[in-house]
Amino acid sequence: MGSASKQSNKPGGKGVADRRERIAALRAAEERRDRRNKVIASVAAGVLVIGAIATGTWIVMDQNQKKKDREAAANADIPGVKTFGDLSRNHVKEKVNYPMTPPVGGDHNAVWLDCMGHVYDQPVENERAVHSLEHGAVWVTYNGKATPEDIKTLSDKVKNTPYSLMSPYPDEQGTITLNAWSTQLIVDSASDPRVNQFFTKYVQGKQTQEPGASCTMGQM
């Protein structure tokens, strides 16, 4: 009996040992899997950090380059631009006889024209437009030689540019005239690359007499 009892315990003892071995193996495999996942997570986090640093560096570099490009454009000469020197800036109520057409400075009305991308379909008062130029606006004018395509292109440009305005000017000599304070450029077409150059340089440019002054709450 005693011998039979010992023999019956051996399979049970071996089964317990086998279960322990399997549990140990499973735990070891789980630990290896956890370590592998941590390594993968660490690598992924490192990649994300490096990517974020690279992206941030690129954004800063891109912004710096754009700033340099703007500064270069602001200092670059534009062929054909005329300047008129120092001009008076008195507020007057009467009409002014300006020496240039369209006018780009001189005495003007105390109230400016709205010039936050405003496109006027009728001629505007010289004296109010000149006041807008004093605030740093670019005034686009055109006569009957301008094509519908020219007018559409310029209108879109103005509408998307704060501190600019546009109006017809039947009496002007050039097809299209770009006006800033004491500064003027005549072009034959809206596709002329100098149009964009003029906007870049003179919208709130160095010629501005009152930087940051309002271009809203004006009058027609």
Short mmCIF file of all heavy atoms in Angstrom, two decimals, residues 20 45 63 84 96-99 101 117 120 143 150-151 156 166 168 180 183 188 194-195 198 218:
data_model
loop_
_atom_site.label_atom_id
_atom_site.label_comp_id
_atom_site.label_asym_id
_atom_site.label_seq_id
_atom_site.Cartn_x
_atom_site.Cartn_y
_atom_site.Cartn_z
N ARG A 20 4.29 24.97 -13.23
CA ARG A 20 5.17 26.06 -12.79
C ARG A 20 6.11 26.49 -13.91
O ARG A 20 6.39 27.66 -14.10
CB ARG A 20 5.96 25.61 -11.56
CG ARG A 20 5.11 25.51 -10.30
CD ARG A 20 5.91 24.98 -9.14
NE ARG A 20 5.09 24.94 -7.93
CZ ARG A 20 5.51 24.39 -6.78
NH1 ARG A 20 6.73 23.83 -6.73
NH2 ARG A 20 4.72 24.39 -5.71
N ALA A 45 8.68 57.70 -29.42
CA ALA A 45 8.67 59.01 -28.76
C ALA A 45 9.86 59.84 -29.19
O ALA A 45 9.74 61.05 -29.43
CB ALA A 45 8.67 58.82 -27.24
N GLN A 63 9.98 81.37 -41.33
CA GLN A 63 9.53 82.71 -40.95
C GLN A 63 10.66 83.72 -41.08
O GLN A 63 10.44 84.85 -41.54
CB GLN A 63 8.99 82.68 -39.52
CG GLN A 63 7.67 81.93 -39.37
CD GLN A 63 7.22 81.83 -37.93
OE1 GLN A 63 8.02 81.98 -37.00
NE2 GLN A 63 5.95 81.56 -37.72
N PHE A 84 8.10 112.17 -55.42
CA PHE A 84 7.83 113.61 -55.51
C PHE A 84 8.33 114.40 -54.31
O PHE A 84 7.92 115.55 -54.11
CB PHE A 84 6.32 113.82 -55.70
CG PHE A 84 5.79 113.20 -56.96
CD1 PHE A 84 5.37 111.87 -56.98
CD2 PHE A 84 5.71 113.93 -58.14
CE1 PHE A 84 4.88 111.29 -58.14
CE2 PHE A 84 5.22 113.35 -59.31
CZ PHE A 84 4.81 112.03 -59.32
N VAL A 96 -8.37 120.78 -53.85
CA VAL A 96 -6.95 121.06 -53.99
C VAL A 96 -6.54 120.84 -55.45
O VAL A 96 -6.95 119.85 -56.08
CB VAL A 96 -6.12 120.14 -53.07
CG1 VAL A 96 -4.63 120.41 -53.25
CG2 VAL A 96 -6.53 120.33 -51.61
N ASN A 97 -5.74 121.75 -55.98
CA ASN A 97 -5.21 121.61 -57.34
C ASN A 97 -3.86 120.89 -57.25
O ASN A 97 -2.82 121.50 -57.01
CB ASN A 97 -5.03 122.99 -57.98
CG ASN A 97 -4.57 122.89 -59.41
OD1 ASN A 97 -4.75 121.86 -60.06
ND2 ASN A 97 -3.95 123.95 -59.92
N TYR A 98 -3.88 119.58 -57.42
CA TYR A 98 -2.68 118.78 -57.26
C TYR A 98 -1.81 118.84 -58.51
O TYR A 98 -2.31 118.87 -59.64
CB TYR A 98 -3.05 117.33 -56.95
CG TYR A 98 -3.71 117.14 -55.60
CD1 TYR A 98 -5.10 116.95 -55.50
CD2 TYR A 98 -2.96 117.15 -54.43
CE1 TYR A 98 -5.70 116.76 -54.26
CE2 TYR A 98 -3.56 116.97 -53.19
CZ TYR A 98 -4.93 116.77 -53.11
OH TYR A 98 -5.52 116.59 -51.88
N PRO A 99 -0.49 118.79 -58.35
CA PRO A 99 0.41 118.87 -59.50
C PRO A 99 0.58 117.56 -60.26
O PRO A 99 1.19 117.53 -61.33
CB PRO A 99 1.74 119.31 -58.88
CG PRO A 99 1.70 118.77 -57.49
CD PRO A 99 0.25 118.87 -57.07
N THR A 101 -1.35 113.62 -61.44
CA THR A 101 -2.64 112.97 -61.64
C THR A 101 -2.42 111.46 -61.80
O THR A 101 -1.72 111.04 -62.71
CB THR A 101 -3.32 113.49 -62.91
OG1 THR A 101 -3.46 114.91 -62.81
CG2 THR A 101 -4.69 112.87 -63.11
N GLY A 117 -8.86 97.29 -48.14
CA GLY A 117 -9.22 96.40 -49.25
C GLY A 117 -10.51 96.83 -49.93
O GLY A 117 -11.23 95.99 -50.46
N TYR A 120 -13.86 100.63 -55.11
CA TYR A 120 -14.94 101.56 -55.45
C TYR A 120 -15.19 101.48 -56.96
O TYR A 120 -14.24 101.46 -57.75
CB TYR A 120 -14.55 102.99 -55.06
CG TYR A 120 -14.29 103.16 -53.57
CD1 TYR A 120 -13.02 103.01 -53.04
CD2 TYR A 120 -15.34 103.46 -52.70
CE1 TYR A 120 -12.78 103.16 -51.69
CE2 TYR A 120 -15.10 103.62 -51.34
CZ TYR A 120 -13.83 103.47 -50.84
OH TYR A 120 -13.60 103.62 -49.49
N ASN A 143 -7.99 103.67 -66.01
CA ASN A 143 -8.87 104.38 -66.94
C ASN A 143 -9.55 103.39 -67.89
O ASN A 143 -9.47 102.17 -67.69
CB ASN A 143 -8.10 105.46 -67.70
CG ASN A 143 -6.98 104.90 -68.57
OD1 ASN A 143 -6.98 103.72 -68.93
ND2 ASN A 143 -6.03 105.75 -68.92
N ASP A 150 -7.91 92.90 -66.35
CA ASP A 150 -7.07 93.75 -65.50
C ASP A 150 -7.83 94.16 -64.24
O ASP A 150 -7.32 94.08 -63.12
CB ASP A 150 -6.64 95.01 -66.25
CG ASP A 150 -5.56 94.75 -67.29
OD1 ASP A 150 -4.79 93.79 -67.11
OD2 ASP A 150 -5.52 95.50 -68.28
N ILE A 151 -9.05 94.63 -64.46
CA ILE A 151 -9.86 95.13 -63.35
C ILE A 151 -10.15 94.01 -62.35
O ILE A 151 -10.08 94.21 -61.13
CB ILE A 151 -11.16 95.76 -63.87
CG1 ILE A 151 -10.82 96.99 -64.73
CG2 ILE A 151 -12.09 96.15 -62.72
CD1 ILE A 151 -12.01 97.58 -65.46
N ASP A 156 -9.26 91.73 -57.06
CA ASP A 156 -8.97 90.60 -56.17
C ASP A 156 -7.75 90.91 -55.30
O ASP A 156 -7.73 90.58 -54.10
CB ASP A 156 -8.71 89.33 -56.98
CG ASP A 156 -9.98 88.81 -57.65
OD1 ASP A 156 -11.08 89.23 -57.25
OD2 ASP A 156 -9.85 87.99 -58.58
N MET A 166 -9.10 100.93 -54.40
CA MET A 166 -9.08 100.96 -55.87
C MET A 166 -10.29 101.72 -56.37
O MET A 166 -11.38 101.62 -55.80
CB MET A 166 -9.09 99.53 -56.40
CG MET A 166 -9.15 99.38 -57.91
SD MET A 166 -9.01 97.63 -58.37
CE MET A 166 -9.46 97.70 -60.10
N PRO A 168 -11.88 103.79 -60.30
CA PRO A 168 -11.61 104.28 -61.67
C PRO A 168 -11.14 105.73 -61.63
O PRO A 168 -11.51 106.49 -60.74
CB PRO A 168 -12.98 104.15 -62.35
CG PRO A 168 -13.98 104.17 -61.24
CD PRO A 168 -13.31 103.54 -60.06
N ALA A 180 1.15 105.60 -53.93
CA ALA A 180 1.42 105.63 -52.50
C ALA A 180 1.85 107.05 -52.18
O ALA A 180 2.04 107.87 -53.08
CB ALA A 180 2.51 104.62 -52.13
N THR A 183 4.64 108.78 -54.13
CA THR A 183 5.20 107.70 -54.94
C THR A 183 4.17 107.24 -55.97
O THR A 183 2.98 107.09 -55.64
CB THR A 183 5.59 106.50 -54.06
OG1 THR A 183 6.40 106.95 -52.97
CG2 THR A 183 6.37 105.46 -54.85
N ASP A 188 0.94 99.08 -67.80
CA ASP A 188 -0.03 98.87 -68.88
C ASP A 188 -0.95 97.69 -68.61
O ASP A 188 -1.99 97.55 -69.26
CB ASP A 188 0.70 98.64 -70.21
CG ASP A 188 1.46 99.86 -70.66
OD1 ASP A 188 0.99 100.99 -70.40
OD2 ASP A 188 2.54 99.71 -71.27
N ARG A 194 5.66 94.23 -61.55
CA ARG A 194 5.91 95.37 -60.66
C ARG A 194 4.70 95.71 -59.80
O ARG A 194 4.84 96.40 -58.78
CB ARG A 194 6.33 96.58 -61.49
CG ARG A 194 7.71 96.43 -62.15
CD ARG A 194 8.02 97.63 -63.03
NE ARG A 194 7.08 97.73 -64.15
CZ ARG A 194 7.00 98.79 -64.97
NH1 ARG A 194 7.79 99.84 -64.77
NH2 ARG A 194 6.13 98.81 -65.96
N VAL A 195 3.52 95.23 -60.21
CA VAL A 195 2.31 95.47 -59.39
C VAL A 195 2.50 94.84 -58.01
O VAL A 195 2.33 95.50 -56.98
CB VAL A 195 1.05 94.92 -60.08
CG1 VAL A 195 -0.15 95.01 -59.13
CG2 VAL A 195 0.77 95.67 -61.38
N PHE A 198 5.17 96.58 -56.02
CA PHE A 198 4.73 97.86 -55.48
C PHE A 198 3.93 97.65 -54.20
O PHE A 198 4.14 98.35 -53.19
CB PHE A 198 3.90 98.61 -56.53
CG PHE A 198 3.67 100.05 -56.21
CD1 PHE A 198 4.51 101.03 -56.72
CD2 PHE A 198 2.60 100.45 -55.41
CE1 PHE A 198 4.30 102.38 -56.44
CE2 PHE A 198 2.38 101.79 -55.12
CZ PHE A 198 3.23 102.76 -55.63
N GLY A 218 -13.91 105.82 -42.48
CA GLY A 218 -13.78 106.99 -43.34
C GLY A 218 -15.09 107.30 -44.04
O GLY A 218 -16.15 106.83 -43.64
#
